[in-house]
Amino acid sequence: MLIGQKGLGKFALARQFAASLLCEAPQTDGKACGKCLACNWYAHGNHPDFRLLQPDALNDEAEAEDGKKKASQQITIDQVRGLDEFLNVGTHRGGLRIVVVYPTEAMNRNTANALLKTLEEPAPSTLFLLVSSEPMRLLPTIRSRCQVVPIPLPNAQQAEQVLADEGVAEARRWLALAGGAPGLAMELAASGQLAWLEILIRRLSVGKNVDPLALAAELEKAVKDSKGKLLLKNVVEAIQKWLVDLTLAGSGMPVRYFLPQAATIASLADMIPAARLIHSYRDMISHRREAEQPLNARLFLEGLFLDYRALFAN
Ligand SMILES: [Zn+2]
């Protein structure tokens, strides 16, 4: 199980690791050759000894079909059960059989239990590569069945280089906002995805004068218009980061995420009792969970911003 924060390339790593294990003529450094029959199959997504379990919503082809049904954000129990046949026949190429699960936390309890059952009775010559950015949300029994490999953040210099290589301007700013994760920083920096964040920052910056209902309406619209790219949980995560920065500033420390707003955040922090901030951050952790469930998005957002305004109450 590869764990680590979002935007580090854990999934890409799992895919490359799988490719290198399936390759039938690996290079001296162990990487896949990219030329053999197995590599060719793998590149085209039809290696007979490989399966990828991911929500339909992450599958580009499923999205392109644009059918009547909304693509699932979850790995389904049918997908997990569908592995049975794959695991019960011998491997096709006499090597390993590999299943990549990503993101592992995108499963309900029943599905997770079905996967657990498979992990508990391992088929021979089979490797499961589970990828998770939120390992605390997994069934403890799944985690304990796995060898957990934490993927660390790259150092700041490496991360800035990655963004520079991709032609991203203001690398430091985006990296800060992404908590140092280059993949997430690139996602944030990508144009068109940021209008909502600008709105959020602008409105949170006015502290007690924030208009919770207007802000909720604007962000609800942004979520709707994004067609699945912007999720409620992304909004909650951004507010969490804002609260972390307020807490840091309140203790006289430099902000971590919202570098350009450092001065604003410091002056807001002076108006909020520290205990209230900590309490609010805890609330936000449970809001983060609620954001996964289908609910009334507008009411949910209004609740968040009413709480935010209450931070500044006398
Ligand atoms: Zn190869």
Side-chain angles (χ1 to χ4, degrees), residues 116-160:
L116 178 63
K117 216 169 136 245
T118 310
L119 296 177
E120 278 174 336
E121 297 157 14
S125 312
T126 304
L127 174 68
F128 277 86
L129 288 171
L130 280 63
V131 180
S132 179
S133 304
E134 299 175 67
M136 298 312 284
R137 294 180 53 215
L138 303 177
L139 284 185
T141 38
I142 286 193
R143 250 182 307 162
S144 67
R145 294 296 306 179
C146 296
Q147 186 180 344
V148 176
V149 181
I151 305 299
L153 274 178
N155 69 43
Q157 223 176 353
Q158 282 174 320
E160 280 179 36

Side-chain angles (χ1 to χ4, degrees), residues 261-280:
Q261 288 78 32
T264 307
I265 288 173
S267 61
L268 290 177
D270 284 343
M271 296 179 237
I272 310 172
R276 221 183 259 178
L277 263 180
I278 292 166
H279 187 81
S280 160

Side-chain angles (χ1 to χ4, degrees), residues 19 22-26 32-40:
L22 291 170
C23 173
E24 291 169 11
C33 74
K35 294 176 206 135
C36 70
L37 188 60
C39 280
N40 210 345

Side-chain angles (χ1 to χ4, degrees), residues 35-165:
K35 294 176 206 135
C36 70
L37 188 60
C39 280
N40 210 345
W41 281 335
Y42 185 77
H44 289 96
N46 47 23
H47 194 295
D49 294 325
F50 179 78
R51 287 288 184 280
L52 170 61
L53 288 196
Q54 65 174 7
D56 274 347
L58 293 182
N59 186 335
D60 295 339
E61 281 167 37
E63 218 171 15
E65 279 171 23
D66 210 16
K68 316 110 211 161
K69 228 172 72 184
K70 210 172 133 204
S72 173
Q73 298 281 350
Q74 296 270 304
I75 294 169
T76 64
I77 195 159
D78 287 339
Q79 284 175 288
V80 173
R81 286 186 181 142
L83 287 177
D84 284 353
E85 201 182 335
F86 173 66
L87 297 173
N88 284 331
V89 295
T91 66
H92 292 81
R93 302 294 290 177
L96 275 176
R97 206 177 356 221
I98 301 180
V99 181
V100 169
V101 185
Y102 166 80
T104 309
E105 62 271 11
M107 283 185 208
N108 67 25
R109 210 178 170 83
N110 285 343
T111 309
N113 274 317
L115 179 66
L116 178 63
K117 216 169 136 245
T118 310
L119 296 177
E120 278 174 336
E121 297 157 14
S125 312
T126 304
L127 174 68
F128 277 86
L129 288 171
L130 280 63
V131 180
S132 179
S133 304
E134 299 175 67
M136 298 312 284
R137 294 180 53 215
L138 303 177
L139 284 185
T141 38
I142 286 193
R143 250 182 307 162
S144 67
R145 294 296 306 179
C146 296
Q147 186 180 344
V148 176
V149 181
I151 305 299
L153 274 178
N155 69 43
Q157 223 176 353
Q158 282 174 320
E160 280 179 36
Q161 193 55 49
V162 171
L163 265 70
D165 290 348

Side-chain angles (χ1 to χ4, degrees), residues 172-174 176-177 245 254-263 265:
R172 255 193 85 220
R173 176 186 169 197
W174 298 121
L177 199 53
D245 276 358
V255 299
R256 186 163 147 205
Y257 299 109
F258 295 93
L259 300 184
Q261 288 78 32
I265 288 173

